[in-house]
C-alpha cells in the first residue's frame, strides 16, 4: 500500500524552497516571464509588467550602459563640430572647409542613427536575458545586436518613411502607424524578422493587444515628456529612463507573444488529434 505521507516529498519541497531562496539572494535577478497574476486569456497583469520592468532595471543597472554610448558620442561630436566652426571662421575663404563641414554633419548624423539603433537593440537583448532569469551580459548583447544591426536599421528606416508619409498626407494614418510599428525593434531582436515581415508582425501584435499596447506607449511617452520638462537635468533624467521604457515594451511583447504562441500550438495539437 502506498503511504500518502511519503517522507521524500517534504524533502523535495524543502530543496525547492532552498533553491528559490538562493536564487533570490544572488546578484542577478531571476524573473520567470510566466510567473504572476494572469487573466483568463493567460496574459500577465499589465501592472505587474510595469513592476517587473522596474525590478529588472533596479537589479541590473548595467542596462543603462548602451543608452550612454550615443549620448557620449553626441557630446564628442558637438565638441568636434564647434572646433570645425572655429576653423571656418578663421579660414572662411577656403570653400573646402565649408564642404567638409557639411559632409561631417551628414556622417555624424548617420553615425548617431546607427549608435541609437545599437543601443536600443542591446538594451532589448539585455532585458530579454534578465526576463529569462539569466545574468545580464553586455558582451553577448552587443554581439546579438551587431548580428541584427542591418535588419534593425533597414526596418526602422522603412517604418520611419511610411510613418512620415502618413503624417504628411493625412496625419491620422501616420499616428496609427506610429502605434502599429512601435514594437518593430522587439520583433527584429527577439523573433529575427525584418523588413515588411517585421512591420506586419508588429502591426498584428498591436492589433491583438490593442489596449495594453496603447497604455504602454502612452505611459512611455508621458514619462519621457515629464522627465524632459524638468529644468536643467531634464535631458539626463530622460536618458536614465530609456532602459525602463525599453523594458516595458520588451516585457509586454515577450509575455503576449508567449501566450499567443502557446494558444496557436494548442490549436495545432487539437487539429492534429
Amino acid at each position: 500500500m502506498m503511504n500518502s505521507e511519503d517522507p521524500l516529498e517534504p524533502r523535495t519541497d524543502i530543496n525547492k524552497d532552498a533553491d528559490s531562496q538562493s536564487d533570490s539572494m544572488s546578484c542577478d535577478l531571476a524573473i520567470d516571464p510566466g510567473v504572476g497574476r494572469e487573466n483568463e486569456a493567460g496574459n500577465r497583469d499589465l501592472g505587474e509588467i510595469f513592476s517587473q520592468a522596474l525590478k529588472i532595471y533596479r537589479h541590473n543597472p548595467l542596462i543603462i550602459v548602451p543608452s550612454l554610448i550615443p549620448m557620449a558620442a553626441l557630446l564628442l561630436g558637438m565638441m568636434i563640430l564647434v572646433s570645425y566652426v572655429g576653423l571656418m571662421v578663421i579660414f572662411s575663404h577656403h570653400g573646402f572647409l565649408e564642404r567638409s563641414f557639411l559632409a561631417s554633419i551628414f556622417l555624424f548624423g548617420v553615425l548617431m542613427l546607427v549608435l541609437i539603433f545599437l543601443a536600443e537593440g542591446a538594451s532589448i537583448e539585455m532585458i530579454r536575458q534578465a526576463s529569462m532569469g539569466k545574468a545580464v551580459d553586455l558582451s553577448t548583447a552587443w554581439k546579438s545586436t551587431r548580428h541584427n544591426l542591418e535588419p534593425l536599421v533597414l526596418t526602422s528606416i522603412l517604418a520611419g518613411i511610411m510613418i512620415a508619409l502618413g503624417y504628411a498626407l493625412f496625419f491620422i494614418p501616420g499616428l496609427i502607424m506610429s502605434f502599429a510599428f512601435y514594437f518593430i525593434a522587439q520583433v527584429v531582436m527577439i523573433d529575427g524578422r525584418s523588413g515588411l515581415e517585421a512591420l506586419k508582425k508588429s502591426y498584428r501584435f498591436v492589433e491583438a493587444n490593442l489596449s495594453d499596447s496603447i497604455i504602454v506607449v502612452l505611459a512611455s511617452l508621458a514619462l519621457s515628456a515629464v522627465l524632459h520638462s524638468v529644468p536643467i537635468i531634464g535631458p539626463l533624467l530622460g536618458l536614465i529612463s530609456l532602459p525602463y521604457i525599453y523594458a516595458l515594451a520588451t516585457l509586454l511583447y515577450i509575455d503576449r507573444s508567449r501566450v499567443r504562441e502557446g494558444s496557436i500550438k494548442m490549436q495545432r495539437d487539437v487539429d492534429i488529434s
Side-chain angles (χ1 to χ4, degrees):
M1 179 180 296
M2 182 178 293
N3 187 357
S4 61
E5 296 182 356
D6 191 343
L8 294 177
E9 293 181 357
R11 192 175 305 163
T12 303
D13 295 338
I14 292 173
N15 290 337
K16 290 182 178 179
D17 293 340
D19 291 341
S20 63
Q21 291 176 1
S22 175
D23 291 340
S24 64
M25 294 176 64
S26 63
C27 59
D28 297 309
L29 181 64
I31 300 176
D32 185 354
V35 175
R37 298 186 300 273
E38 298 181 351
N39 58 23
E40 295 179 355
N43 296 329
R44 296 188 65 196
D45 182 75
L46 191 59
E48 191 165 340
I49 288 179
F50 276 80
S51 176
Q52 183 183 353
L54 185 60
K55 285 181 180 179
I56 286 178
Y57 192 9
R58 188 172 65 246
H59 289 267
N60 299 277
L62 191 65
I63 294 176
I64 189 63
V65 173
S67 298
L68 295 176
I69 293 177
M71 179 59 66
L74 177 62
L75 294 176
L76 179 61
M78 293 299 294
M79 294 174 60
I80 295 175
L81 290 177
V82 168
S83 301
Y84 242 109
V85 172
L87 291 175
M88 289 177 60
V89 171
I90 298 174
F91 304 100
S92 58
H93 58 283
H94 290 278
F96 171 77
L97 284 177
E98 296 178 358
R99 291 191 296 271
S100 62
F101 177 71
L102 294 176
S104 299
I105 291 179
F106 174 76
L107 293 176
F108 178 67
V110 173
L111 175 63
M112 285 300 303
L113 189 66
V114 172
L115 288 177
I116 289 172
F117 288 134
L118 272 172
E120 184 179 17
S123 298
I124 291 172
E125 174 61 22
M126 294 172 77
I127 293 163
R128 187 188 68 83
Q129 293 171 357
S131 71
M132 296 173 63
K134 298 180 179 179
V136 171
D137 185 2
L138 183 59
S139 176
T140 303
W142 282 123
K143 290 179 182 178
S144 176
T145 306
R146 288 199 303 269
H147 177 73
N148 292 287
L149 182 59
E150 182 179 350
L152 182 60
V153 172
L154 295 179
T155 303
S156 299
I157 291 175
L158 178 60
I161 292 173
M162 295 177 65
I163 292 172
L165 290 175
Y167 278 117
L169 295 176
F170 302 105
F171 183 79
I172 293 179
L175 184 63
I176 293 174
M177 285 188 287
S178 296
F179 279 94
F181 299 154
Y182 188 79
F183 295 91
I184 57 172
Q186 282 74 22
V187 174
V188 173
M189 292 300 302
I190 296 173
D191 294 334
R193 309 292 179 87
S194 62
L196 289 175
E197 188 180 3
L199 298 183
K200 291 177 182 178
K201 183 156 188 179
S202 178
Y203 173 83
R204 289 194 295 266
F205 176 82
V206 173
E207 184 181 33
N209 305 277
L210 185 59
S211 60
D212 289 342
S213 297
I214 290 177
I215 291 173
V216 166
V217 173
L218 293 181
S220 299
L221 292 175
L223 176 63
S224 179
V226 170
L227 293 179
H228 278 89
S229 65
V230 176
I232 303 176
I233 62 172
L236 177 61
L237 295 177
L239 175 66
I240 294 174
S241 70
L242 279 178
Y244 179 71
I245 292 174
Y246 292 147
L248 287 178
T250 302
L251 293 178
L252 179 68
Y253 184 81
I254 290 174
D255 180 76
R256 299 304 188 260
S257 296
R258 171 185 61 83
V259 174
R260 180 177 176 83
E261 290 173 1
S263 300
I264 293 175
K265 184 178 183 300
M266 289 179 61
Q267 184 62 40
R268 288 175 179 172
D269 292 341
V270 171
D271 293 340
I272 293 174
S273 61

